[in-house]
Amino acid sequence: MSSYKLGKSVAEVLKDVDKLTTERNNFGERDFIIPHKVLPIATEMCQDEVVGLDLMFNDVWKSIEEENVGIIGLYGMGGAGKTTLLKKINNELVKRGLGFDFVMWVVVSKEVNLNNIMDNIRKLVGIGDDFWNRSSNLDEKAAKIYGALKQKKFVLLLDDIWDQLNLELVGVPLPKDTKSKVLFTTRLENVCAKMQVQKKFKVEILTEKEALELFCMKVGEETLNSHPTIPRLAEKMAKECKGLPLALIVLGSSMAGVKNVEAWEHSIKNLTSSLLTKPDLEEKVFSILKYSYDKLDALEKQCFLYCSLYPEDYEILVFDLIDKWMWEAFLCKDMIMSVEDIRGHGESVIEKLKLSCLLESVEDDFYVYRRVKMHDVIRDMALWLLQEDHDHMELVKRISIIDDWESQKSIDLANVTTLVLLGGIHHQLKDIKYMERLKVLELHVEDLAFVDIRGLTSLEYLSFHFERGSLEPLFWINLKSLTNLKFLSFLATSPNFSTWESPPGVLSSLQQMRVFRLVSDIKINPLEERRILEELECLPKIEELQIIISSRNGLNKLLESARLQSCLYNISTDLSYSDVSNEKPLLSLGSMLGLKKLQEISLFDINIRSDQYPFILETCWLAKLRMVEIYSCQVTHVTWLKYAPLLQRLQIYGCESMEEVIKEEEAIKDENVDSSLVFSSLVLLSLYKLPILKSIHRAPLPFPFLKSVLIDSCPKLDKLPFDSNSTKHELTAIHGQQNWWDSLTWDDPTAKDKFQSKFKSF
C-alpha cells in the first residue's frame, strides 16, 4: 500500500508487494505471489561530470576483473572525487553486469551504525521487512544476510569508510570465498591496510588542464563566450581551487551566468584575499566553497545551514525538509500564505541550493520521495560557518541527535526551538517536557510509551516515526493542550503498531492545525473513522490530509465531503478487514471531483465504476497525481490516467476484470489532448496477475522517462506499446517470464532488438 517512505526501484516495489502478500494471506486465490528473484543487479546512480578519472577508472576496472583481487580501496582527500569514481564503477556494473548477482551500494560515514548498514544490505538482497522487524539480534540479522549472499557473486560498494569495517560482522562473506568484490572509499590511507586490500588507488587532485576543463564545464559556454576577458579570468580562478574537483564544481557553478568582467575581478580579489588569511588546507578549502554560499540570499543561507542538522551522508527527504523550513517560518514569516504556495517557495530554494552545488540529488525519479544530501565536505563547511558566525545560533537553538543524548547535556534545554532525534533513544525522552520554547519536534523512536510532550505549548510541528507500541490516554491529554500545533504526522515502520484512534474532541481542539498525516501502516479504527474524519473536517485551517480509509462509513464520508476532498494529498483505501460483506464497495470517479491536490492514490478491494470522462478535463483533478496503486479491484480499464500528466508510478495487481490499461474508444476526442503525452512522466510500470489484460495502449508511446517495467501473470498481453523510438536511454530493465517475452509480437522489428538487452527473466 502507499506510504510516505515508498522507494523508487523495482526492488523496493517488489518488497512492497511481498509485504502485501503477507498481509493478504487470508484471501486464498487472490494472494499476490511475486517471485523474489526479480531484483535488478544494481541501480544506476546520479553522478557529476567525470573529469580526469578515466585512467584510474580503467585501472580499477582491471582490478575488478582480476580473480585474485577481492578488496579494493580508493583513498584521497575530501572532495577529490572518490565517490564520483565509485558511482561511475557502479553505473558501469549496471551496464556490463559481469555475471554478478548483486551490486550493493552502502554509505558508511564517520559515525558507523552497523544496524543501518545491515538494513541497507538486506533491502538490496531482498530480505523482507517481516523477518527484519521481528529480529532485534544483530547476529541473527547478520546470519540472514550471510545466508542470502554465501552462494552469490556480488559487488559491495562502501562509500566513506573512516576505520576498519568487519565484513563478517554485518553478514558479508569474505570476497575470497565467493569470487565477489568489495570496493570502498576512504580519506585515510591506513584504512586500506586495516581492510586488508589486495589493491589500493589514490584518487589524486586534477592537473591544471583538467581543473580548468571541469571549471569551465560548470561555468558554461554562454558565460565564457560573453566577453573575451572572461576565459582568462576563469583560468585564474580555477587555479585557486588547487585541483580539488569539489571546489572547482562549487565555485564554477557559482560563476555560471556572471557575464560582467568587473564582477569576475571582484570575485577573484575576494577569493584570493580570504585564502591568504587561512592557515591550514581545510580552512582554505572551506573559504573556496564559502564563495558559493556568499552568493545566496539570507533565506537561502538559512535553509542551507539548516541542512547541517542532519547527520553526515544522511539522505534528506525533500518533502520533510521543506516542511521543517515551513514551520520554522523561514519561507513565510507570518505564515499567511497557503501550505501549497509555501511548499512551492521551498522547492525553488532546493533548486537554488542544487544549482549552487551545496546540495546534491540522490535520485530524482519520484517527486514526492526524492532526496537530497550534503557532500560531507560541504557539511563540514556549513558547521564551520556556524561556528565562525556568531549571528547564527543554530548550534544552540536547533539540535539533532543520532544516538547520544548524554553528549547534549550541557545545552540549556529551555532555549532549544528545534529537536530532531534520529536514533534509538528511550528513557531520556522525559527531558523533552522541559523544552518550553520548542517549536519543531521530530522523533524516530521504537516505542511511543516513552514520549512525554506535556508543557510544549509553543510546539507547531510534531512528527513521530515509530516501530511499535500504542498511544496511551496521557498522550492524548497532553496533545490536546498543544493549542499552537499546526503540523501533526504519525509514521509507523512496522505493522506491530495498534490501530490509530484519538478520543473524541482531541483533534477538533487543535484549531490551528493545517497539516495532518497518518501514513505507512497506520489505520484508523474502522468504528471511529467517520467520527475522526468529521473532526478533521471541522478544523477551520486544515489544508492537507494524508490518510488510509478502512471502512465504508469512512469512504462515504470522504466522498460526500468537498472540504475533506479539497485537502487530500494522499489517500489509500483498504476495506478488506472492516466489512463482513463480500460485495466490493463502489467508487465512482465522478464522486472525486474535489481531489484537486491529490498526488497519490492507493485502492484495494474496490469496485471502480467506469464513468464518462469529460469531467476530468473540466475539473483538472488529476493534474497533480504522481502515483497510483490498484490492488484486487473490480475495474476493466484505467483510461482516466491518460489525463494525469505527472503520473510517475503505476502499479496494478490482481484485478481479474482488467482488459486494457488505456481503452482507446473511451478516451476523449479532444483537440487539446495530445496522445503522445500519455504516460509522458511515467518512471515505473508494474502489472501483475491480470488474467484478461490484452493491451496497455494500442499505439506505441514515447515513454521518455520510463526506467523499470515489471509484467507477470498477464498471459493475454502479447504486445508492448514500444517502438524503436520509445524510452530513449532511460529504460534499465523489463522484468518478466521468459516464455511471455518470447511470445511477444512487434510491429517494429528494430524495437525487439533494442529491448532484448533490457529484458531480465525470472
Side-chain angles (χ1 to χ4, degrees), residues 199-235:
K199 287 284 183 73
K200 67 178 182 181
F201 299 89
K202 183 178 182 180
V203 181
E204 301 279 4
I205 60 175
L206 301 180
T207 66
E208 198 169 291
K209 180 180 178 182
E210 291 166 343
L212 181 59
E213 179 187 349
L214 179 56
F215 184 82
C216 290
M217 193 182 298
K218 286 299 179 181
V219 173
E221 289 293 327
E222 183 182 357
T223 300
L224 290 168
N225 295 332
S226 63
H227 192 282
T229 307
I230 288 180
R232 177 179 57 80
L233 297 172
E235 184 176 357

Side-chain angles (χ1 to χ4, degrees), residues 298-321:
L299 164 64
E300 292 160 352
K301 288 178 179 177
Q302 197 173 28
C303 290
F304 166 72
L305 293 174
Y306 193 89
C307 296
S308 64
L309 276 174
Y310 292 88
E312 182 179 302
D313 293 314
Y314 191 85
E315 295 182 0
I316 310 169
L317 196 64
V318 170
F319 209 65
D320 278 347
L321 180 59

Side-chain angles (χ1 to χ4, degrees), residues 213-480:
E213 179 187 349
L214 179 56
F215 184 82
C216 290
M217 193 182 298
K218 286 299 179 181
V219 173
E221 289 293 327
E222 183 182 357
T223 300
L224 290 168
N225 295 332
S226 63
H227 192 282
T229 307
I230 288 180
R232 177 179 57 80
L233 297 172
E235 184 176 357
K236 188 174 182 180
M237 187 174 278
K239 285 182 181 179
E240 297 296 338
C241 296
K242 309 302 180 186
L244 191 66
L246 178 64
L248 290 157
I249 289 169
V250 173
L251 193 59
S253 297
S254 72
M255 299 307 295
V258 179
K259 300 177 181 180
N260 182 280
V261 173
E262 288 76 14
W264 274 82
E265 291 173 339
H266 178 72
S267 298
I268 292 171
K269 182 179 179 180
N270 286 346
L271 180 63
T272 53
S273 62
S274 66
L275 292 178
L276 289 173
T277 65
K278 305 301 177 186
D280 58 48
L281 178 61
E282 184 176 61
E283 288 202 352
K284 286 186 177 182
V285 171
F286 291 165
S287 294
I288 297 170
L289 301 177
K290 181 179 178 291
Y291 186 77
S292 188
Y293 167 82
D294 288 339
K295 297 190 73 174
L296 303 175
D297 64 28
L299 164 64
E300 292 160 352
K301 288 178 179 177
Q302 197 173 28
C303 290
F304 166 72
L305 293 174
Y306 193 89
C307 296
S308 64
L309 276 174
Y310 292 88
E312 182 179 302
D313 293 314
Y314 191 85
E315 295 182 0
I316 310 169
L317 196 64
V318 170
F319 209 65
D320 278 347
L321 180 59
I322 293 176
D323 279 341
K324 291 190 182 67
W325 289 346
M326 185 187 310
W327 304 113
E328 294 276 6
F330 292 172
L331 302 171
C332 182
K333 295 293 183 185
D334 49 17
M335 295 298 292
I336 60 173
M337 295 167 59
S338 70
V339 168
E340 190 172 21
D341 288 343
I342 297 174
R343 188 166 288 126
H345 188 188
E347 292 287 355
S348 68
V349 174
I350 290 284
E351 289 307 308
K352 178 63 179 292
L353 295 178
K354 286 165 62 178
L355 287 171
S356 302
C357 295
L358 297 173
L359 288 181
E360 57 187 81
S361 296
V362 176
E363 192 172 356
D364 268 344
D365 287 351
F366 291 96
Y367 174 83
V368 178
Y369 305 111
R370 72 197 192 287
R371 290 166 168 79
V372 293
K373 63 184 290 188
M374 275 183 152
H375 190 286
D376 50 4
V377 178
I378 296 289
R379 183 176 184 270
D380 290 343
M381 185 263 290
L383 295 175
W384 173 73
L385 284 169
L386 286 168
Q387 291 171 331
E388 289 279 303
D389 189 348
H390 298 294
D391 291 334
H392 291 284
M393 300 299 293
E394 273 82 357
L395 289 178
V396 177
K397 294 170 59 178
R398 301 184 175 98
I399 58 176
S400 63
I401 305 172
I402 305 174
D403 290 302
D404 186 11
W405 177 276
E406 296 300 322
S407 66
Q408 304 293 336
K409 284 299 185 180
S410 61
I411 292 177
D412 182 0
L413 299 182
N415 286 327
V416 175
T417 61
T418 296
L419 176 62
V420 179
L421 298 182
L422 300 174
I425 304 166
H426 303 295
H427 63 279
Q428 298 95 335
L429 294 175
K430 65 181 182 295
D431 294 334
I432 291 176
K433 64 178 177 287
Y434 300 118
M435 300 181 179
E436 297 177 355
R437 296 179 61 191
L438 200 63
K439 290 181 61 179
V440 173
L441 175 60
E442 178 176 356
L443 301 176
H444 294 228
V445 294
E446 292 184 1
D447 196 329
L448 280 174
F450 295 99
V451 178
D452 186 351
I453 58 173
R454 79 183 84 169
L456 302 183
T457 54
S458 299
L459 202 64
E460 297 185 13
Y461 176 106
L462 180 58
S463 177
F464 291 116
H465 299 229
F466 49 88
E467 294 182 5
R468 62 175 180 267
S470 58
L471 296 170
E472 302 297 329
L474 181 60
F475 172 84
W476 295 112
I477 294 172
N478 292 335
L479 183 65
K480 196 171 182 178

Side-chain angles (χ1 to χ4, degrees), residues 38-305:
V38 189
L39 291 166
I41 67 159
T43 301
E44 192 167 356
M45 305 185 73
C46 302
Q47 68 176 58
D48 215 315
E49 287 84 356
V50 180
V51 174
L53 292 175
D54 289 343
L55 182 60
M56 179 161 291
F57 170 79
N58 291 334
D59 290 342
V60 175
W61 193 262
K62 288 176 184 176
S63 297
I64 293 173
E65 293 176 325
E66 292 180 28
E67 287 191 9
N68 62 338
V69 175
I71 303 179
I72 302 169
L74 310 174
Y75 70 97
M77 67 181 296
K82 302 181 297 296
T83 300
T84 299
L85 177 58
L86 200 64
K87 285 182 177 180
K88 180 174 174 61
I89 292 166
N90 175 87
N91 292 346
E92 285 299 315
L93 286 165
V94 172
K95 297 175 184 176
R96 305 189 196 185
L98 297 185
F100 291 107
D101 298 296
F102 298 112
V103 177
M104 300 170 286
W105 178 283
V106 178
V107 177
V108 179
S109 298
K110 188 181 294 185
E111 301 295 333
V112 178
N113 187 316
L114 293 180
N115 197 49
N116 285 350
I117 292 171
M118 295 165 73
D119 189 51
N120 286 330
I121 293 173
R122 69 94 182 174
K123 290 175 181 176
L124 294 167
V125 301
I127 297 173
D129 292 345
D130 290 340
F131 166 81
W132 209 254
N133 292 329
R134 287 196 309 269
S135 176
S136 59
N137 184 291
L138 290 183
D139 291 337
E140 187 178 323
K141 291 179 176 180
K144 188 74 171 179
I145 291 173
Y146 183 84
L149 290 176
K150 66 180 180 179
Q151 301 297 330
K152 301 294 184 181
K153 185 181 176 184
F154 61 84
V155 179
L156 176 60
L157 305 172
L158 298 168
D159 190 33
D160 198 20
I161 287 184
W162 288 76
D163 206 342
Q164 180 183 7
L165 177 67
N166 188 328
L167 297 176
E168 293 174 310
L169 204 60
V170 294
V172 176
L174 295 177
K176 64 181 180 180
D177 299 331
T178 60
K179 295 185 178 179
S180 298
K181 308 288 178 181
V182 173
L183 289 82
F184 64 86
T185 67
T186 180
R187 293 194 197 180
L188 309 171
E189 183 179 4
N190 68 340
V191 171
C192 295
K194 292 180 180 181
M195 291 293 292
Q196 300 181 353
V197 301
Q198 282 79 51
K199 287 284 183 73
K200 67 178 182 181
F201 299 89
K202 183 178 182 180
V203 181
E204 301 279 4
I205 60 175
L206 301 180
T207 66
E208 198 169 291
K209 180 180 178 182
E210 291 166 343
L212 181 59
E213 179 187 349
L214 179 56
F215 184 82
C216 290
M217 193 182 298
K218 286 299 179 181
V219 173
E221 289 293 327
E222 183 182 357
T223 300
L224 290 168
N225 295 332
S226 63
H227 192 282
T229 307
I230 288 180
R232 177 179 57 80
L233 297 172
E235 184 176 357
K236 188 174 182 180
M237 187 174 278
K239 285 182 181 179
E240 297 296 338
C241 296
K242 309 302 180 186
L244 191 66
L246 178 64
L248 290 157
I249 289 169
V250 173
L251 193 59
S253 297
S254 72
M255 299 307 295
V258 179
K259 300 177 181 180
N260 182 280
V261 173
E262 288 76 14
W264 274 82
E265 291 173 339
H266 178 72
S267 298
I268 292 171
K269 182 179 179 180
N270 286 346
L271 180 63
T272 53
S273 62
S274 66
L275 292 178
L276 289 173
T277 65
K278 305 301 177 186
D280 58 48
L281 178 61
E282 184 176 61
E283 288 202 352
K284 286 186 177 182
V285 171
F286 291 165
S287 294
I288 297 170
L289 301 177
K290 181 179 178 291
Y291 186 77
S292 188
Y293 167 82
D294 288 339
K295 297 190 73 174
L296 303 175
D297 64 28
L299 164 64
E300 292 160 352
K301 288 178 179 177
Q302 197 173 28
C303 290
F304 166 72
L305 293 174

